[in-house]
Amino acid sequence: MTATTLPVGEAQPSQPSDTAGAVRRRRGGRARVLLRRVGFYLGTAAVAITLNFVIPRLMPGDPASVILNKLAQQSQVTPATEKSIRALFGVPDEGLWQQYLHYLAQLAHGDLGVSIAYFPQPVSEMIGSGLPWTLGLVSLTTVLAFLLGTGIGIVSGARPGSRFDSVTAPLATFLGSMPYFWVATMLLLLLSVTVPVFPSQNGYDLGLDPGFTPAFIGSVIEHGFLPAVTIIVSSVGGWLLGMRNMMITTVAEDYVTLAEAKGLSRRRVLLAYAARNAMLPQIAGLAISIGTVVGGSLLAEAVFAYPGVGYLFYQAVVNLDYPLMQALFLTISLSVLLANFIADSVYVLLDPRTREDA
Amino acid sequence: MTSLGNTHKNMPANPHENSPGQDVLLDVEGLSVDYGTEADPLPAVSEVSLRVRRGDILGIAGESGSGKTTLINALLRLLRPPAQVRSGRATLYPRSGTPLDLLHADAKELREARWEQTAVVFQSAMNALNPVSRLSAQFTDVLRTHRRMPKSEAREHAAHMLELVGIPAARLDSYPHELSGGMRQRATIALSLVCEPDLLVMDEPTTAVDVVMQRQILRQVIRLQRRLGFSVVFITHDLSLLLEIADRIAVMYGGRIVESGPVGALYRDPRHPYTRGLRDSFPPLRGPMRKLNGIPGSPPDLRRLPPGCPFEPRCPYASSECTTAVPELKDHGADRLVACVHADTLPVPTVGGRV
Amino acid sequence: MTVSPPLAPLTPSADRLTWRTALRRLVPANRKARVGLAIIGVYVLVAAVGPWIVQSLMGLSPTELTGDVLQSPSGAHPLGTTQDGSDVLAQLVVGTRTSLLVGALAAVVSTTLSVAVGLIGGYYGGTVDSVLGALTNAFLVLPGLPLVIVLAGYLRGRGGPFAVALVIGLTGWAWGARSKRVQTLSLRGRDFVVGARLLGESNLRIMLVEVLPNLLPVISATLMLSLVTSILAVSGLDFLGIGDLNSVSWGTMLYFAQQRQAMVAGAWWWFVPPGVAITVLGAAAGLVNFGIDELTNPRLRGAGGKAAKTRKPRKKGVR
């Protein structure tokens, strides 16, 4: 939980003679660190794109033919559609390298094929309509869970063994152990089936026209509530324990003791000195845990039939809609990488020592 | 440290009734600190009494584990569980304001006295400065808290303090990791003096820097101390270093003060065998070369202290007397106190141990 | 020059570990970790002998379709029956075996991979390490579940639950590889490794005989945790209906319970037991994890009850 993604090496004390030089060097260091991160994430994106290429070709049989047969059962398959499916899922008698180039060219055009289940809808359109729902749900709940868990972690880590801590720490362990789909199922049972307070499926009341009307927005909040609570309940425990343990470690640091000896208010000692430092591994952890949260939200969306990419993914797998499935895999992976990159960049801004990290 | 008076040991602190005189800044009596639980206490500091005079530098020397750091943490109220004060009292008599009962002051009194009256410099400056904030923030927050200074004025004052220890004012905007080790330590010293405290506690402030930097820092401390008039409690395991700067020395062993006195006399003629061993195990910073001898054995296990003198198992002069009772810290004339039954009969040191 | 001889090492763990001493040190000294391990031990016991007890001794079947449809718990069916009339207790116990076996396979696969990658990267360093490190980081930040779902989507239950286990194992090794790399890195410069190298021993032998035993505590910890996370992942797939629906596991129990509207019917005995089984196992892993944190970070130790105990008798205002 407390491991960091970033190679935060020992800082190198530099001795620039003037402040202007120091500032220049500092900015240069920061740019270098960011550049390295960009490189890493581009490389990882290449891994994801290549995995997306390799997986269907590793599977027994010829997925492309299977898909084309299925499409043919529904209607006439145009040559363009056949070409794109072939590029994405494999051409039996073409060399792998050749296939890879065709595949990349296909991606560059943004053509991810057509859906089998919803033929002839292009999968990119379907993903486009689902992405905002998931993006909104995951980013909102991640930020809330992070703030909530970190906030409570500060309080319980500042006084380990206190009554507050002895309630929250075990509770967090327990909450963090509950799988997402189980929390979702329980919430559905309690607050939708047994006591029908919240709707059990969809992202909004289907009788309403989507738009920025109070009724529609209210309906979105009502429908998103249980999925959001699911994600927050399942992920808040990890943030809480991580922050608590880091606080306990940090509070014993000399600089916190010195802040106390300086006669600063307890609030300032805990926030500006202890929590400010204890938070760094949390931010680094944010990058790694985004993948887990996205995975969990896929399950939660499936339970609540929430119209995001998670539910789409679930339907794609159940309906054997391979073009949609692969495209979703790629989209979700790349989105998670982007989120990771943002979290990492925030880290670099928050920890001055990473600037010197050559 | 001139008197040990244990008459008021168990009475609530009432500094006015028991005022020790105009020239005393800090008066500690019978201070004991335990580690661990009530059922299984570990005596880290036992019955320590000492006085710090205004403008004096008191050195406290001892090996690691002798209780010196625990002692000052208790005085500064920085002990963390499971360490806790078992008994004793400590009163600070600031130049201005009323005497402060250090061990019983409430949170508010304590916060107000901190840095205004007592300040501290830790051993490792790398760890003592907040790694994620600039020096300026770490200087100004204390000024804004205690002096309600506007930000610009606080910055100006901080820059002035940095320059006092030889750091360019531009460094205010640096982060700790951008400074060299010696600079960081000097910055923490500047930081400790921003509110002109009456008492500055320095816990091995030069252990982490090289010898050249050590001398430079010590000279600076003495210069500032003469200029600003604060008192210093200086903790170190290096007795010879105290010879350079201290007015008086207290030597701790096994959580107790075993000898104290004016620096010259104590260094020339240590009356406690442990002081003698400690002196002979460090080369003097200046002066003639001398043969170095370590003290055989290892520091006492506080869990299994011998019934008699804690130093007895390692002491070359130990006799049967030493195994029965802990020797009292007795007046030995000339402002000196020694806790050793052989203090009077200890052979006069052959200063000619020189090589 | 020295005042006193240096203190003896606080713990004998400063020494190198051989296979024998390493095995002896596997029982953690931490209470939380021990409780967590004990709970996991109970699960293993149930998986080992439970199916025999419920099937042979109690005569309950997890798959037999009886006329006792959707019955609440009774003497004949201690945890009631499903809509098909199958016994829930029998399903739960047999499901424990399935889930644990699948989880164990996945854990062994991912731990083996993580040891190989971590050990080789940490031991050789240089370019090998950079490449393996980048690969590890890539798999660390790529979301695991979508990858698993895609692969399981192609498998469609083919190859049974163990194919799913393999997939989970192959995708979940990155986290463990990191910790093993760090550990190996710290061992690389130690005397006994350098000594073995100077004696001309082969790299493979040094890795297996000198370094590997020292990784054993880390390996056992990640094995335990990846066992539990794998079980959770498999359960998630089964719950979605994209695992092997022919097997009886906690996940498939929940899948069928949801498909057959057990919640609407109020048949709590059907879906609560598998959920509780998963949650308690997850909590046990949480305890182990917490305990390991305390063991590796001494400052967390005694942050619990001990501090509270000593605070009470302290004098007013003395901290």
Side-chain angles (χ1 to χ4, degrees), chain A residues 12 16 18 28 65 81 97 111 126 235 240 246 256 259 271 319 356:
Chain A
Q12 312 257 312
D18 62 319
S65 299
T81 305
W97 181 242
D111 184 351
M126 298 175 72
S235 58
L240 199 162
M246 266 325 283
V256 178
L271 294 183
N319 297 331
E356 307 286 332

Side-chain angles (χ1 to χ4, degrees), chain B residues 258-281:
Chain B
V258 292
E259 179 165 10
S260 69
V263 60
L266 187 134
Y267 196 82
R268 252 191 329 273
D269 180 22
R271 287 283 97 197
H272 195 285
Y274 176 68
T275 313
R276 188 172 290 190
L278 201 59
R279 182 194 69 172
D280 293 345
S281 47

